[in-house]
Each structure stands twice: as C-alpha cells, then as structure tokens.
Short mmCIF file of all heavy atoms in Angstrom, two decimals:
data_model
loop_
_atom_site.label_atom_id
_atom_site.label_comp_id
_atom_site.label_asym_id
_atom_site.label_seq_id
_atom_site.Cartn_x
_atom_site.Cartn_y
_atom_site.Cartn_z
N MET E 361 19.70 -47.92 21.71
CA MET E 361 18.60 -48.00 22.64
C MET E 361 18.06 -46.60 22.96
O MET E 361 16.86 -46.41 23.01
CB MET E 361 19.10 -48.71 23.91
CG MET E 361 18.05 -48.89 24.95
SD MET E 361 16.93 -50.15 24.35
CE MET E 361 15.88 -50.27 25.73
N ARG E 362 19.01 -45.69 23.18
CA ARG E 362 18.59 -44.33 23.51
C ARG E 362 17.87 -43.69 22.33
O ARG E 362 16.87 -42.99 22.51
CB ARG E 362 19.82 -43.52 23.90
CG ARG E 362 19.50 -42.09 24.27
CD ARG E 362 20.73 -41.36 24.77
NE ARG E 362 20.38 -39.98 25.06
CZ ARG E 362 21.18 -38.97 24.94
NH1 ARG E 362 22.42 -39.18 24.51
NH2 ARG E 362 20.80 -37.77 25.22
N ASN E 363 18.38 -43.90 21.09
CA ASN E 363 17.75 -43.34 19.90
C ASN E 363 16.35 -43.91 19.69
O ASN E 363 15.44 -43.19 19.28
CB ASN E 363 18.60 -43.60 18.66
CG ASN E 363 19.87 -42.75 18.66
OD1 ASN E 363 19.93 -41.74 19.33
ND2 ASN E 363 20.87 -43.19 17.92
N ALA E 364 16.17 -45.20 19.98
CA ALA E 364 14.86 -45.82 19.83
C ALA E 364 13.87 -45.21 20.82
O ALA E 364 12.70 -44.97 20.49
CB ALA E 364 14.96 -47.33 20.02
N PHE E 365 14.32 -44.95 22.04
CA PHE E 365 13.45 -44.35 23.05
C PHE E 365 13.07 -42.92 22.65
O PHE E 365 11.90 -42.53 22.76
CB PHE E 365 14.15 -44.35 24.42
CG PHE E 365 13.36 -43.67 25.50
CD1 PHE E 365 12.21 -44.27 26.00
CD2 PHE E 365 13.72 -42.43 25.98
CE1 PHE E 365 11.47 -43.64 26.98
CE2 PHE E 365 12.99 -41.80 26.95
CZ PHE E 365 11.86 -42.40 27.46
N LEU E 366 14.03 -42.16 22.14
CA LEU E 366 13.73 -40.80 21.71
C LEU E 366 12.78 -40.79 20.51
O LEU E 366 11.87 -39.97 20.43
CB LEU E 366 15.02 -40.05 21.37
CG LEU E 366 15.91 -39.66 22.55
CD1 LEU E 366 17.21 -39.04 22.05
CD2 LEU E 366 15.19 -38.71 23.47
N PHE E 367 13.00 -41.73 19.59
CA PHE E 367 12.13 -41.82 18.43
C PHE E 367 10.71 -42.20 18.83
O PHE E 367 9.74 -41.63 18.33
CB PHE E 367 12.69 -42.84 17.43
CG PHE E 367 11.84 -42.99 16.20
CD1 PHE E 367 11.82 -41.99 15.25
CD2 PHE E 367 11.05 -44.11 16.02
CE1 PHE E 367 11.03 -42.11 14.12
CE2 PHE E 367 10.26 -44.24 14.91
CZ PHE E 367 10.25 -43.24 13.94
N ALA E 368 10.58 -43.14 19.76
CA ALA E 368 9.26 -43.55 20.22
C ALA E 368 8.55 -42.40 20.96
O ALA E 368 7.35 -42.17 20.78
CB ALA E 368 9.37 -44.76 21.14
N THR E 369 9.30 -41.66 21.76
CA THR E 369 8.72 -40.52 22.47
C THR E 369 8.27 -39.44 21.48
O THR E 369 7.18 -38.87 21.61
CB THR E 369 9.75 -39.93 23.46
OG1 THR E 369 10.19 -40.97 24.33
CG2 THR E 369 9.15 -38.82 24.27
N LEU E 370 9.11 -39.18 20.50
CA LEU E 370 8.77 -38.19 19.48
C LEU E 370 7.55 -38.64 18.67
O LEU E 370 6.66 -37.84 18.39
CB LEU E 370 9.96 -37.97 18.55
CG LEU E 370 9.76 -36.94 17.44
CD1 LEU E 370 9.55 -35.56 18.03
CD2 LEU E 370 10.93 -36.96 16.50
N ALA E 371 7.47 -39.91 18.33
CA ALA E 371 6.34 -40.44 17.57
C ALA E 371 5.04 -40.32 18.37
O ALA E 371 4.00 -39.95 17.82
CB ALA E 371 6.59 -41.89 17.17
N MET E 372 5.08 -40.59 19.66
CA MET E 372 3.88 -40.46 20.50
C MET E 372 3.46 -39.00 20.61
O MET E 372 2.27 -38.67 20.55
CB MET E 372 4.13 -41.05 21.89
CG MET E 372 4.14 -42.57 21.92
SD MET E 372 4.14 -43.27 23.56
CE MET E 372 5.59 -42.57 24.30
N PHE E 373 4.43 -38.12 20.77
CA PHE E 373 4.13 -36.70 20.89
C PHE E 373 3.49 -36.17 19.61
O PHE E 373 2.48 -35.46 19.65
CB PHE E 373 5.41 -35.91 21.21
CG PHE E 373 5.20 -34.44 21.27
CD1 PHE E 373 4.56 -33.86 22.35
CD2 PHE E 373 5.63 -33.62 20.25
CE1 PHE E 373 4.37 -32.49 22.41
CE2 PHE E 373 5.44 -32.25 20.30
CZ PHE E 373 4.80 -31.69 21.38
N VAL E 374 4.05 -36.54 18.47
CA VAL E 374 3.52 -36.07 17.19
C VAL E 374 2.13 -36.66 16.94
O VAL E 374 1.23 -35.98 16.44
CB VAL E 374 4.49 -36.43 16.05
CG1 VAL E 374 3.86 -36.20 14.68
CG2 VAL E 374 5.76 -35.60 16.18
N SER E 375 1.91 -37.92 17.30
CA SER E 375 0.61 -38.54 17.07
C SER E 375 -0.47 -37.91 17.96
O SER E 375 -1.63 -37.86 17.59
CB SER E 375 0.68 -40.05 17.30
OG SER E 375 0.93 -40.32 18.67
N CYS E 376 -0.09 -37.43 19.13
CA CYS E 376 -1.07 -36.81 20.02
C CYS E 376 -1.37 -35.36 19.65
O CYS E 376 -2.46 -34.87 19.89
CB CYS E 376 -0.58 -36.85 21.47
SG CYS E 376 -0.53 -38.52 22.16
N THR E 377 -0.41 -34.67 19.10
CA THR E 377 -0.61 -33.25 18.80
C THR E 377 -0.82 -32.97 17.33
O THR E 377 -1.12 -31.83 16.97
CB THR E 377 0.62 -32.44 19.27
OG1 THR E 377 1.77 -32.90 18.58
CG2 THR E 377 0.81 -32.54 20.76
N GLY E 378 -0.67 -33.93 16.47
CA GLY E 378 -0.78 -33.67 15.04
C GLY E 378 -2.17 -33.35 14.57
O GLY E 378 -2.37 -32.52 13.70
N CYS E 379 -3.16 -33.99 15.12
CA CYS E 379 -4.55 -33.76 14.71
C CYS E 379 -5.28 -33.02 15.81
O CYS E 379 -5.28 -33.44 16.97
CB CYS E 379 -5.25 -35.08 14.45
SG CYS E 379 -4.47 -36.06 13.16
N SER E 380 -5.92 -31.96 15.45
CA SER E 380 -6.71 -31.23 16.44
C SER E 380 -8.15 -31.24 15.98
O SER E 380 -8.46 -31.10 14.80
CB SER E 380 -6.20 -29.81 16.61
OG SER E 380 -6.45 -29.06 15.44
N LYS E 381 -9.04 -31.39 16.91
CA LYS E 381 -10.46 -31.41 16.59
C LYS E 381 -11.08 -30.03 16.73
O LYS E 381 -12.24 -29.83 16.42
CB LYS E 381 -11.18 -32.39 17.50
CG LYS E 381 -10.75 -33.82 17.28
CD LYS E 381 -11.49 -34.76 18.16
CE LYS E 381 -11.00 -36.18 17.92
NZ LYS E 381 -11.66 -37.15 18.79
N LYS E 382 -10.31 -29.07 17.21
CA LYS E 382 -10.82 -27.73 17.38
C LYS E 382 -10.95 -27.06 16.02
O LYS E 382 -10.01 -27.06 15.22
CB LYS E 382 -9.89 -26.93 18.28
CG LYS E 382 -10.43 -25.55 18.64
CD LYS E 382 -9.63 -24.90 19.73
CE LYS E 382 -8.44 -24.21 19.13
NZ LYS E 382 -7.72 -23.36 20.10
N LYS E 383 -12.12 -26.52 15.76
CA LYS E 383 -12.36 -25.84 14.49
C LYS E 383 -11.62 -24.51 14.50
O LYS E 383 -11.72 -23.74 15.43
CB LYS E 383 -13.85 -25.61 14.30
CG LYS E 383 -14.20 -24.98 12.99
CD LYS E 383 -15.70 -24.79 12.85
CE LYS E 383 -16.01 -24.10 11.55
NZ LYS E 383 -17.42 -23.82 11.41
N GLN E 384 -10.89 -24.28 13.43
CA GLN E 384 -10.15 -23.04 13.33
C GLN E 384 -11.09 -21.91 12.92
O GLN E 384 -11.93 -22.07 12.03
CB GLN E 384 -9.02 -23.16 12.31
CG GLN E 384 -7.94 -24.14 12.73
CD GLN E 384 -6.85 -24.23 11.69
OE1 GLN E 384 -6.97 -23.69 10.61
NE2 GLN E 384 -5.77 -24.89 12.04
N ASP E 385 -10.95 -20.79 13.58
CA ASP E 385 -11.78 -19.64 13.26
C ASP E 385 -11.27 -18.98 11.99
O ASP E 385 -10.07 -18.87 11.77
CB ASP E 385 -11.75 -18.62 14.40
CG ASP E 385 -12.38 -19.17 15.67
OD1 ASP E 385 -13.25 -20.05 15.55
OD2 ASP E 385 -11.99 -18.73 16.76
N SER E 386 -12.21 -18.55 11.16
CA SER E 386 -11.79 -17.85 9.95
C SER E 386 -11.43 -16.42 10.34
O SER E 386 -11.99 -15.85 11.27
CB SER E 386 -12.92 -17.85 8.92
OG SER E 386 -14.05 -17.17 9.46
N PRO E 387 -10.49 -15.84 9.62
CA PRO E 387 -10.08 -14.47 9.96
C PRO E 387 -11.23 -13.50 9.68
O PRO E 387 -12.07 -13.74 8.81
CB PRO E 387 -8.89 -14.21 9.04
CG PRO E 387 -9.05 -15.17 7.93
CD PRO E 387 -9.74 -16.37 8.50
N PRO E 388 -11.27 -12.40 10.40
CA PRO E 388 -12.34 -11.44 10.16
C PRO E 388 -12.19 -10.80 8.78
O PRO E 388 -11.09 -10.70 8.26
CB PRO E 388 -12.14 -10.39 11.27
CG PRO E 388 -10.70 -10.52 11.64
CD PRO E 388 -10.35 -11.96 11.44
N PRO E 389 -13.29 -10.39 8.18
CA PRO E 389 -13.20 -9.78 6.85
C PRO E 389 -12.46 -8.44 6.93
O PRO E 389 -12.58 -7.70 7.91
CB PRO E 389 -14.65 -9.57 6.43
CG PRO E 389 -15.41 -9.57 7.71
CD PRO E 389 -14.66 -10.46 8.65
N VAL E 390 -11.71 -8.16 5.89
CA VAL E 390 -10.93 -6.93 5.83
C VAL E 390 -11.67 -5.95 4.94
O VAL E 390 -11.98 -6.24 3.80
CB VAL E 390 -9.51 -7.20 5.26
CG1 VAL E 390 -8.73 -5.92 5.13
CG2 VAL E 390 -8.79 -8.18 6.14
N VAL E 391 -11.96 -4.78 5.49
CA VAL E 391 -12.65 -3.74 4.74
C VAL E 391 -11.60 -2.70 4.34
O VAL E 391 -10.94 -2.12 5.19
CB VAL E 391 -13.75 -3.08 5.59
CG1 VAL E 391 -14.42 -1.96 4.82
CG2 VAL E 391 -14.76 -4.12 6.02
N VAL E 392 -11.45 -2.51 3.04
CA VAL E 392 -10.48 -1.55 2.53
C VAL E 392 -11.22 -0.29 2.13
O VAL E 392 -12.08 -0.33 1.24
CB VAL E 392 -9.70 -2.13 1.33
CG1 VAL E 392 -8.72 -1.12 0.79
CG2 VAL E 392 -9.00 -3.41 1.74
N ASN E 393 -10.92 0.80 2.79
CA ASN E 393 -11.53 2.07 2.44
C ASN E 393 -10.64 2.81 1.45
O ASN E 393 -9.43 2.85 1.60
CB ASN E 393 -11.71 2.94 3.69
CG ASN E 393 -12.71 2.33 4.64
OD1 ASN E 393 -13.63 1.66 4.22
ND2 ASN E 393 -12.52 2.57 5.92
N ALA E 394 -11.27 3.39 0.43
CA ALA E 394 -10.51 4.14 -0.56
C ALA E 394 -10.01 5.44 0.06
O ALA E 394 -10.75 6.11 0.78
CB ALA E 394 -11.37 4.44 -1.78
N PRO E 395 -8.76 5.80 -0.20
CA PRO E 395 -8.25 7.06 0.35
C PRO E 395 -8.90 8.26 -0.32
O PRO E 395 -9.37 8.18 -1.45
CB PRO E 395 -6.75 7.01 0.06
CG PRO E 395 -6.63 6.07 -1.09
CD PRO E 395 -7.74 5.08 -0.96
N ASP E 396 -8.92 9.37 0.37
CA ASP E 396 -9.52 10.59 -0.15
C ASP E 396 -8.44 11.43 -0.82
O ASP E 396 -7.56 11.98 -0.16
CB ASP E 396 -10.16 11.38 0.99
CG ASP E 396 -10.85 12.63 0.51
OD1 ASP E 396 -11.19 12.69 -0.69
OD2 ASP E 396 -11.05 13.55 1.32
N TYR E 397 -8.49 11.52 -2.15
CA TYR E 397 -7.51 12.30 -2.90
C TYR E 397 -8.06 13.66 -3.30
O TYR E 397 -7.47 14.34 -4.13
CB TYR E 397 -7.08 11.54 -4.16
CG TYR E 397 -6.26 10.31 -3.86
CD1 TYR E 397 -6.69 9.07 -4.25
CD2 TYR E 397 -5.05 10.41 -3.19
CE1 TYR E 397 -5.93 7.95 -3.97
CE2 TYR E 397 -4.30 9.31 -2.91
CZ TYR E 397 -4.74 8.06 -3.31
OH TYR E 397 -4.00 6.96 -3.05
N GLN E 398 -9.18 14.08 -2.76
CA GLN E 398 -9.78 15.36 -3.13
C GLN E 398 -8.85 16.54 -2.87
O GLN E 398 -8.70 17.39 -3.74
CB GLN E 398 -11.11 15.54 -2.37
CG GLN E 398 -11.88 16.77 -2.77
CD GLN E 398 -12.43 16.68 -4.17
OE1 GLN E 398 -12.60 15.61 -4.71
NE2 GLN E 398 -12.68 17.82 -4.77
N PRO E 399 -8.19 16.66 -1.69
CA PRO E 399 -7.30 17.80 -1.49
C PRO E 399 -6.12 17.83 -2.47
O PRO E 399 -5.71 18.90 -2.92
CB PRO E 399 -6.80 17.62 -0.06
CG PRO E 399 -7.79 16.75 0.60
CD PRO E 399 -8.32 15.87 -0.47
N ILE E 400 -5.61 16.67 -2.82
CA ILE E 400 -4.49 16.62 -3.76
C ILE E 400 -4.95 17.08 -5.14
O ILE E 400 -4.26 17.83 -5.83
CB ILE E 400 -3.89 15.20 -3.82
CG1 ILE E 400 -3.29 14.83 -2.47
CG2 ILE E 400 -2.85 15.10 -4.92
CD1 ILE E 400 -2.84 13.41 -2.38
N GLY E 401 -6.14 16.68 -5.54
CA GLY E 401 -6.67 17.08 -6.84
C GLY E 401 -6.89 18.58 -6.91
O GLY E 401 -6.63 19.22 -7.94
N GLU E 402 -7.40 19.18 -5.82
CA GLU E 402 -7.61 20.62 -5.79
C GLU E 402 -6.27 21.36 -5.88
O GLU E 402 -6.17 22.38 -6.57
CB GLU E 402 -8.35 21.03 -4.52
CG GLU E 402 -9.79 20.56 -4.47
CD GLU E 402 -10.64 21.18 -5.55
OE1 GLU E 402 -10.48 22.38 -5.84
OE2 GLU E 402 -11.47 20.45 -6.12
N GLY E 403 -5.26 20.87 -5.20
CA GLY E 403 -3.94 21.51 -5.26
C GLY E 403 -3.34 21.44 -6.65
O GLY E 403 -2.73 22.40 -7.14
N MET E 404 -3.50 20.30 -7.30
CA MET E 404 -2.98 20.15 -8.66
C MET E 404 -3.71 21.09 -9.63
O MET E 404 -3.11 21.62 -10.57
CB MET E 404 -3.11 18.70 -9.13
CG MET E 404 -2.25 17.72 -8.35
SD MET E 404 -0.51 18.05 -8.54
CE MET E 404 -0.27 17.54 -10.21
N LYS E 405 -5.00 21.29 -9.40
CA LYS E 405 -5.76 22.19 -10.26
C LYS E 405 -5.25 23.63 -10.11
O LYS E 405 -5.07 24.33 -11.11
CB LYS E 405 -7.25 22.11 -9.90
CG LYS E 405 -8.14 22.90 -10.83
CD LYS E 405 -9.62 22.60 -10.69
CE LYS E 405 -10.12 22.67 -9.29
NZ LYS E 405 -11.57 22.57 -9.18
N VAL E 406 -4.99 24.06 -8.89
CA VAL E 406 -4.48 25.41 -8.67
C VAL E 406 -3.11 25.57 -9.30
O VAL E 406 -2.82 26.60 -9.95
CB VAL E 406 -4.43 25.71 -7.15
CG1 VAL E 406 -3.66 26.99 -6.87
CG2 VAL E 406 -5.83 25.79 -6.58
N GLN E 407 -2.25 24.57 -9.17
CA GLN E 407 -0.92 24.66 -9.77
C GLN E 407 -0.98 24.69 -11.29
O GLN E 407 -0.21 25.40 -11.94
CB GLN E 407 -0.05 23.50 -9.29
CG GLN E 407 0.34 23.62 -7.84
CD GLN E 407 1.14 22.42 -7.36
OE1 GLN E 407 1.36 21.47 -8.09
NE2 GLN E 407 1.57 22.48 -6.11
N SER E 408 -1.89 23.94 -11.87
CA SER E 408 -1.99 23.95 -13.33
C SER E 408 -2.52 25.29 -13.83
O SER E 408 -2.07 25.80 -14.85
CB SER E 408 -2.87 22.80 -13.82
OG SER E 408 -4.21 22.98 -13.35
N TYR E 409 -3.48 25.91 -13.10
CA TYR E 409 -3.94 27.24 -13.47
C TYR E 409 -2.81 28.26 -13.36
O TYR E 409 -2.67 29.15 -14.20
CB TYR E 409 -5.11 27.68 -12.60
CG TYR E 409 -6.42 26.98 -12.91
CD1 TYR E 409 -7.38 26.82 -11.93
CD2 TYR E 409 -6.68 26.47 -14.17
CE1 TYR E 409 -8.59 26.19 -12.20
CE2 TYR E 409 -7.88 25.84 -14.45
CZ TYR E 409 -8.83 25.70 -13.46
OH TYR E 409 -10.00 25.08 -13.74
N ALA E 410 -2.00 28.14 -12.33
CA ALA E 410 -0.87 29.05 -12.17
C ALA E 410 0.13 28.88 -13.31
O ALA E 410 0.68 29.87 -13.82
CB ALA E 410 -0.19 28.80 -10.82
N LEU E 411 0.38 27.65 -13.72
CA LEU E 411 1.32 27.40 -14.83
C LEU E 411 0.79 27.98 -16.14
O LEU E 411 1.55 28.59 -16.90
CB LEU E 411 1.56 25.89 -14.96
CG LEU E 411 2.61 25.45 -15.96
CD1 LEU E 411 3.97 26.00 -15.54
CD2 LEU E 411 2.66 23.95 -16.04
N VAL E 412 -0.51 27.83 -16.39
CA VAL E 412 -1.10 28.42 -17.59
C VAL E 412 -1.02 29.94 -17.53
O VAL E 412 -0.71 30.60 -18.53
CB VAL E 412 -2.56 27.93 -17.76
CG1 VAL E 412 -3.30 28.73 -18.83
CG2 VAL E 412 -2.59 26.46 -18.09
N GLY E 413 -1.26 30.51 -16.36
CA GLY E 413 -1.17 31.96 -16.20
C GLY E 413 0.23 32.47 -16.46
O GLY E 413 0.42 33.49 -17.13
N VAL E 414 1.24 31.78 -15.95
CA VAL E 414 2.63 32.18 -16.19
C VAL E 414 2.96 32.08 -17.67
O VAL E 414 3.63 32.96 -18.23
CB VAL E 414 3.59 31.32 -15.32
CG1 VAL E 414 5.02 31.50 -15.76
CG2 VAL E 414 3.43 31.66 -13.86
N ALA E 415 2.49 31.04 -18.33
CA ALA E 415 2.77 30.88 -19.76
C ALA E 415 2.14 32.02 -20.56
O ALA E 415 2.75 32.55 -21.50
CB ALA E 415 2.25 29.53 -20.25
N VAL E 416 0.92 32.42 -20.19
CA VAL E 416 0.26 33.52 -20.89
C VAL E 416 1.02 34.82 -20.67
O VAL E 416 1.25 35.59 -21.61
CB VAL E 416 -1.21 33.64 -20.44
CG1 VAL E 416 -1.84 34.94 -20.91
CG2 VAL E 416 -2.01 32.46 -20.93
N ILE E 417 1.44 35.08 -19.44
CA ILE E 417 2.18 36.32 -19.13
C ILE E 417 3.51 36.36 -19.88
O ILE E 417 3.88 37.39 -20.46
CB ILE E 417 2.38 36.46 -17.61
CG1 ILE E 417 1.04 36.73 -16.95
CG2 ILE E 417 3.37 37.57 -17.28
CD1 ILE E 417 1.08 36.67 -15.44
N VAL E 418 4.22 35.25 -19.91
CA VAL E 418 5.51 35.20 -20.62
C VAL E 418 5.29 35.40 -22.11
O VAL E 418 6.03 36.14 -22.78
CB VAL E 418 6.23 33.86 -20.33
CG1 VAL E 418 7.40 33.65 -21.28
CG2 VAL E 418 6.70 33.82 -18.89
N THR E 419 4.26 34.80 -22.67
CA THR E 419 3.98 34.94 -24.10
C THR E 419 3.62 36.37 -24.45
O THR E 419 4.12 36.93 -25.44
CB THR E 419 2.83 33.99 -24.51
OG1 THR E 419 3.19 32.66 -24.16
CG2 THR E 419 2.54 34.08 -25.99
N VAL E 420 2.78 36.99 -23.65
CA VAL E 420 2.41 38.39 -23.90
C VAL E 420 3.63 39.28 -23.76
O VAL E 420 3.83 40.22 -24.56
CB VAL E 420 1.27 38.82 -22.95
CG1 VAL E 420 1.05 40.33 -23.01
CG2 VAL E 420 -0.01 38.09 -23.30
N GLY E 421 4.48 39.02 -22.79
CA GLY E 421 5.71 39.80 -22.63
C GLY E 421 6.64 39.66 -23.80
O GLY E 421 7.24 40.64 -24.26
N LEU E 422 6.81 38.45 -24.33
CA LEU E 422 7.68 38.25 -25.49
C LEU E 422 7.13 38.93 -26.73
O LEU E 422 7.87 39.52 -27.53
CB LEU E 422 7.89 36.75 -25.74
CG LEU E 422 8.76 36.00 -24.73
CD1 LEU E 422 8.79 34.51 -25.04
CD2 LEU E 422 10.18 36.56 -24.75
N ILE E 423 5.80 38.84 -26.90
CA ILE E 423 5.18 39.50 -28.05
C ILE E 423 5.36 41.02 -27.94
O ILE E 423 5.67 41.71 -28.92
CB ILE E 423 3.70 39.11 -28.16
CG1 ILE E 423 3.58 37.65 -28.57
CG2 ILE E 423 2.97 40.01 -29.16
CD1 ILE E 423 2.16 37.11 -28.54
N ALA E 424 5.17 41.56 -26.75
CA ALA E 424 5.29 43.00 -26.56
C ALA E 424 6.74 43.46 -26.76
O ALA E 424 6.99 44.52 -27.33
CB ALA E 424 4.82 43.39 -25.16
N ARG E 425 7.68 42.68 -26.33
CA ARG E 425 9.09 43.06 -26.47
C ARG E 425 9.53 43.01 -27.93
O ARG E 425 10.25 43.89 -28.40
CB ARG E 425 9.98 42.15 -25.62
CG ARG E 425 11.43 42.61 -25.62
CD ARG E 425 12.26 41.85 -24.63
NE ARG E 425 12.24 40.43 -24.96
CZ ARG E 425 12.92 39.52 -24.28
NH1 ARG E 425 13.61 39.87 -23.23
NH2 ARG E 425 12.86 38.26 -24.60
N ASN E 426 9.12 42.01 -28.67
CA ASN E 426 9.52 41.88 -30.07
C ASN E 426 8.74 42.83 -30.97
O ASN E 426 9.18 43.13 -32.08
CB ASN E 426 9.34 40.44 -30.56
CG ASN E 426 10.35 39.50 -29.93
OD1 ASN E 426 11.42 39.94 -29.52
ND2 ASN E 426 10.00 38.23 -29.85
N GLY E 427 7.61 43.32 -30.54
CA GLY E 427 6.81 44.21 -31.36
C GLY E 427 7.34 45.64 -31.39
O GLY E 427 6.95 46.43 -32.25
N ASN E 428 8.24 46.00 -30.46
CA ASN E 428 8.74 47.37 -30.39
C ASN E 428 9.94 47.60 -31.29
O ASN E 428 10.45 48.71 -31.34
CB ASN E 428 9.12 47.73 -28.95
CG ASN E 428 7.90 47.86 -28.07
OD1 ASN E 428 6.81 48.13 -28.57
ND2 ASN E 428 8.08 47.68 -26.79
N HIS E 429 10.40 46.64 -32.02
CA HIS E 429 11.60 46.84 -32.86
C HIS E 429 11.29 47.59 -34.08
O HIS E 429 10.54 47.70 -34.84
CB HIS E 429 12.26 45.51 -33.22
CG HIS E 429 13.01 44.95 -32.05
ND1 HIS E 429 13.27 43.62 -31.96
CD2 HIS E 429 13.56 45.49 -30.96
CE1 HIS E 429 13.95 43.37 -30.86
NE2 HIS E 429 14.11 44.50 -30.22
#
C-alpha cells in the first residue's frame, strides 16, 4: 500500500514537471579571437639571427685556426 502511494505520488510529480512550455533560450554566440603571436615571432627571428651569427663566427674561427698550420 505504501509503495503504491509513493509510486502514484512520483507519477503525478513527474507528469506535472516533465513537460515545460517555457521556451528555452539559446546560448549567446561565442566569439573566438585569434591570439597575437607577433611578439613571439619577433623573438624567434632575433634568436635565429643570433644562431646564424654564432655559426658564422665559429666557422671563420675554425678556418683561421686551421689555416695557420
């Protein structure tokens, strides 16, 4: 008897709250802005120039050292 009463109460509750007539609002549009990688690109350019400069200096030094024999 108790289970039947609980089941009936649950069934009435679900039937009253299961359907809503309120229109659901759509979520606002998401605007994705592209990040600015300009400073990172400039830093990489400076480091690559420095690496090329070091390679040139080392190469010239090796050539000069081996040329004196």
Side-chain angles (χ1 to χ4, degrees):
M361 182 72 177
R362 181 175 177 212
N363 289 339
F365 176 72
L366 288 175
F367 180 73
T369 305
L370 181 65
M372 285 190 302
F373 177 75
V374 169
S375 67
C376 292
T377 60
C379 300
S380 68
K381 295 181 181 178
K382 186 169 84 171
K383 183 179 178 184
Q384 294 180 351
D385 295 333
S386 62
V390 177
V391 177
V392 179
N393 294 329
D396 182 22
Y397 291 120
Q398 185 69 23
I400 295 173
E402 291 296 320
M404 294 297 289
K405 186 167 51 172
V406 169
Q407 289 177 357
S408 64
Y409 287 153
L411 186 62
V412 168
V414 168
V416 168
I417 291 171
V418 167
T419 303
V420 169
L422 289 175
I423 290 173
R425 187 171 60 178
N426 289 335
N428 290 336
H429 284 157

